[in-house]
Amino acid sequence: MYLQEGFHTYFIYILTNKAKSVFYTGVTNDLKKRIQKHKDNILVQNKTFASKYNVEFLLYYEKFTWIQEAIAREKEIKGWTREKKLTLIKTMNPDLEFLVY
């Protein structure tokens, strides 16, 4: 009997704060829940990057079927300069609007 591997959806995402002064890149399999988790961490003042800089607004995301690809892309983007990240964000979101997912 042939077993077919299941397909999943994973996301890399870039969040920012209200002033758009920092970018946070992450990976998740549930974008909506992960963004809410970032917001919750801000409220309880955890010692995370997201809570320290009030990072909670979605600017950019990409979808992947395979977690390995998503993780590789996250690592790639994390190594980029702010300007290169900004150029990427503007390919999807030229006005840097806060996205709702």
Side-chain angles (χ1 to χ4, degrees), residues 21-98:
S21 60
V22 295
F23 296 142
Y24 174 88
T25 305
V27 66
T28 185
N29 66 343
D30 190 327
L31 189 54
K32 190 173 186 175
K33 282 185 183 178
R34 188 66 185 113
I35 292 168
Q36 186 58 53
K37 183 75 172 161
H38 281 289
K39 290 179 182 189
D40 293 345
N41 284 341
I42 290 168
L43 293 175
V44 297
Q45 295 297 311
N46 283 349
K47 303 285 187 214
T48 65
F49 179 90
S51 66
K52 182 176 179 182
Y53 294 99
N54 296 315
V55 173
E56 61 178 311
F57 301 103
L58 180 64
L59 288 178
Y60 180 86
Y61 65 92
E62 294 176 16
K63 286 182 174 182
F64 295 86
T65 301
W66 306 105
I67 187 64
Q68 296 87 347
E69 291 175 351
I71 291 169
R73 181 68 167 156
E74 176 200 25
K75 287 179 181 180
E76 176 186 17
I77 292 170
K78 281 186 172 186
W80 289 359
T81 64
R82 176 182 174 80
E83 288 307 310
K84 191 168 181 179
K85 291 175 189 177
L86 195 54
T87 300
L88 175 66
I89 293 164
K90 287 183 176 181
T91 65
M92 167 194 256
N93 186 357
D95 297 325
L96 299 179
E97 295 177 8
F98 298 146

